[in-house]
Structures are given as C-alpha cells and as structure tokens.
C-alpha cells in the first residue's frame, strides 16, 4: 500500500477500509499490551525513570550511569510504540467520521480509540512516577484489555448493519456467553494479581503485592477451570442446538486457545516462571480475550450492510 492509498483508506473510506482500520486497532492494542509486559519482564520498567521525559534532562535516551542502556532502549521503544497505536486510533476515528453514510454507532466506538490511547499515556506516566506500583501496573494492563474490547466491537460492528440486535441462538445460550465473558474478565484480573505478586516486577526498586504467591496462583488456576468449563458448556450447547457454524467454530477456537494458554501457565509455574514463558502467557491472555469476544459477537446479528450500489442501480432502472 502506497502513501496515497493509505491516506484514502481513512480520508475517503470504504466499508472495507473502515473494517481494516478497526482490525488494525485490535492488533496494535494487543501488540502493545504484550510489549508492555516485555518491558516489565526484562527489568526495564524504569529504563526511563521519569515521565514525560525519558530522563530528567531529556525526552530521548541519554547515557545514565545507574541505568542499563538496553533497559532504557526497551522502555523508550515501548513509549514510541504508543505513537503507532495513536496513529491507528486517529485513523479509525477519521474513517468513521468521513464514512458515507456516516454511522453514529461506529463513530462512538472509534472515538474511544484516541481517548483510550491518551488515557493510557497519562496513566503510563503515573506508573513510572509511582515506581511501578503493582496497583498502577495492573490497571494499566486492564485498561489495555478494555481498549482491545472497544477495538473488537468496532471491528465487529463495521461488518454488520444497524438493525436491533437479533439472537441467533437460544436466550439461555446467549446468557451463558455473557457469563463466559464475565469469567474471563475475572480471570484476567486474577492474572494481574498473580503477576503483581510474582518475581517480575519490572525493576528491583518496584514494590509487590504482599499476597502469598502460591495462594493467588491456585485461585487463578481455579478460575481458569471455571472459564474452561463454561467454554465447554457453550461449545456443547451451540453444537446440540445447531447454532450457526461461525459461532460453533469460534467456540472451538476459543477452547483450543484456552488449552494452549493452560499448558503455558502450568509449565511456567513448575519452571519457576521464566520471563519468556510469562511473556507468552500475556500474549495468550490477549488471545483468549479476543477469542471470547468473537464468540459472543457471533451469537447475534444486526443484519447485513445495505448494498452501497443499490441506490445507483435503482436510479438507473427508472432512468434517472
């Protein structure tokens, strides 16, 4: 894609380019969630010890005798990725704003993207200024989860119409899907508590939660089994009720992602949580969340998008 076509994709957007930018928002928000974890896992959380500057005297990295240049580069690099996420967020908003016909539902969801990025940037400053307090770090991750949800909602809504939502499955199955979303969200919250209690604090000076690590890890594991159990129940219910094929396959994909995530989780626990596997586990968390949202969105419909060429075709038929 050249610069001209890139510009046209959000300045004179089509339905396809609108959905493409929404998908890009899902990808970059998930990506920066994982790279943010990599900053902590490499001990680079305070590689830039101040905010908004990297060091007290400079916005860009400079040599500092007490900080490894590698750690500084990792932390500063993650800060720079924020501008990529912001660029995609602005493109989403402009595409929704200039889409013809304009859809208020898309515009509201798209507006959440730049607002969310700016909020995350300010909160990231609080994370640094609090010396990586585990509460601020945990909220930073959970806001990213919210950003991913908003981006996925924009992606899903940009591919369907604006009719009132219509269930494609039995009401109780839809309720089961909502329960699954809630259980995965609680699981993610428990996950950040485990992380905030564990050894990978992001810097030697960072504080940790005072919980017993084995206790919170076991609670987290119990919540995993609840989420997996709900997924199995949902997949079975979708199958026996002959639900739409997309929803059935999405539930199976979710189950497969959960199994892979479970394997990583147990292996990292028994290997004393090596940083690389923890990073994979964070990636798995974002994939579980996205896969869960996908299942729920596929269990209802808002109708198909109207044919954009229909007015022109009708006009041609009546000789206009």
């Amino acid at each position: 894609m050249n610069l001209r076509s890139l510009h046209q994709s959000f300045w004179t957007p089509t339905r396809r380019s609108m959905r493409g930018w929404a998908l890009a928002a899902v990808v970059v928000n998930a990506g920066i969630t994982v790279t943010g974890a990599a900053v902590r896992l490499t001990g680079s959380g305070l590689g830039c010890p101040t905010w908004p500057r990297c060091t007290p005297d400079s916005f860009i990295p400079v040599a500092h005798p007490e900080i490894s240049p590698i750690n500084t580069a990792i932390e500063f690099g993650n800060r720079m990725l924020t501008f990529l996420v912001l660029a995609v967020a602005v493109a989403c908003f402009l595409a929704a704003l200039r889409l013809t016909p304009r859809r208020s539902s898309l515009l509201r969801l798209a507006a959440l993207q730049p607002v969310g990025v700016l909020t995350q940037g300010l909160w990231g400053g609080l994370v640094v200024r609090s010396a990586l307090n585990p509460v601020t770090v945990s909220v930073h991750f959970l806001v990213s989860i919210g950003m991913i949800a908003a981006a996925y909602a924009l992606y899903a809504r940009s591919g369907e119409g604006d009719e009132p939502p219509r269930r494609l499955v039995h009401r109780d199955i839809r309720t089961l899907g909502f329960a699954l979303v809630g259980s995965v969200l609680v699981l993610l919250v428990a996950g950040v508590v485990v992380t905030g209690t564990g050894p990978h604090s992001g810097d030697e000076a960072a504080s940790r939660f005072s919980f017993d690590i084995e206790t919170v890890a076991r609670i987290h594991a119990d919540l995993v089994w609840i989420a997996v159990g709900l997924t199995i129940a949902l997949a079975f219910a979708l199958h026996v009720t002959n639900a739409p094929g997309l929803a059935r396959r999405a539930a199976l994909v979710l189950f497969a992602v959960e199994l892979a995530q479970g394997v990583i989780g147990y292996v990292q626990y028994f290997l004393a949580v090596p940083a690389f596997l923890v990073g994979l586990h964070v990636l798995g968390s974002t994939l579980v969340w996205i896969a869960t949202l996908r299942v729920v969105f596929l269990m209802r419909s808002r109708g198909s998008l109207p044919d954009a060429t229909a007015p022109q075709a009708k006009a041609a038929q009546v000789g206009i």
Side-chain angles (χ1 to χ4, degrees):
M1 177 182 289
N2 56 39
L3 289 177
R4 179 181 175 83
S5 59
L6 181 65
H7 177 264
Q8 289 177 337
S9 67
F10 62 81
W11 198 249
T12 55
T14 63
R15 294 168 181 170
R16 182 177 181 181
S17 66
M18 176 71 251
R19 200 166 198 225
W21 280 114
L23 179 59
V26 176
V27 173
V28 296
N29 277 288
I32 201 168
T33 302
V34 176
T35 60
V39 171
R40 176 173 48 79
L41 294 169
T42 56
S44 306
L46 294 178
C48 286
T50 63
W51 188 95
R53 290 182 172 88
C54 181
T55 65
D57 303 320
S58 175
F59 283 97
I60 61 175
V62 294
H64 195 289
E66 298 180 359
I67 303 175
S68 164
I70 295 177
N71 290 342
T72 299
I74 292 173
E75 162 64 2
F76 185 75
N78 191 65
R79 290 190 184 189
M80 291 300 98
L81 283 178
T82 301
F83 291 99
L84 172 62
V85 182
L86 180 60
V88 172
V90 171
C92 283
F93 178 72
L94 289 175
L97 183 66
R98 295 183 60 82
L99 186 67
T100 304
R102 182 182 296 175
R103 299 173 59 191
S104 59
S105 59
L106 296 188
L107 189 58
R108 287 192 296 269
L109 288 169
L112 291 175
Q113 293 304 306
V115 171
V117 175
L118 293 176
T119 300
Q120 277 288 68
L122 293 174
W123 192 267
L126 180 61
V127 171
V128 173
R129 289 178 176 271
S130 68
L132 308 184
N133 182 282
V135 174
T136 61
V137 174
S138 298
V139 173
H140 203 39
F141 175 82
L142 294 175
V143 173
S144 292
I145 291 299
M147 289 286 293
I148 292 172
Y152 190 86
L154 179 62
Y155 171 72
R157 293 289 289 113
S158 62
E160 59 188 9
D162 289 317
E163 298 176 7
R166 175 174 57 88
R167 287 186 289 104
L168 300 178
V169 298
H170 190 275
R171 179 186 59 192
D172 293 341
I173 298 178
R174 182 89 168 127
T175 301
L176 181 59
F178 289 138
L180 175 60
V181 172
S183 72
V184 171
L185 187 57
V186 171
L187 177 61
L188 292 172
V189 173
V192 297
V193 172
V194 174
T195 300
T197 308
H200 301 291
S201 61
D203 191 90
E204 293 180 357
S207 60
R208 313 301 293 142
F209 287 129
S210 59
F211 305 119
D212 177 68
I213 184 62
E214 288 197 13
T215 300
V216 292
R218 290 182 186 278
I219 293 173
H220 180 63
D222 291 340
L223 292 171
V224 168
W225 285 112
I226 292 174
V228 171
L230 289 173
T231 301
I232 294 173
L234 180 63
F236 180 75
L238 291 172
H239 177 74
V240 298
T241 57
N242 197 29
L246 283 176
R248 283 182 284 158
R249 289 190 292 272
L252 293 177
V253 169
L254 171 59
F255 180 61
V257 174
E258 288 174 339
L259 285 182
Q261 176 74 333
V263 169
I264 295 171
Y266 277 106
V267 171
Q268 74 169 7
Y269 178 78
F270 288 113
L271 293 181
V273 289
F276 176 71
L277 288 181
V278 176
L280 282 182
H281 202 55
V282 174
L283 173 61
S285 297
T286 63
L287 294 179
V288 167
W289 181 233
I290 293 170
T292 302
L293 295 172
R294 181 169 179 257
V295 174
V296 174
F297 273 98
L298 288 174
M299 291 195 296
R300 97 285 182 270
S301 172
R302 285 182 174 268
S304 59
L305 288 169
D307 185 359
T309 62
Q312 292 87 338
K314 184 176 181 180
Q317 290 175 0
V318 297
I320 297 177

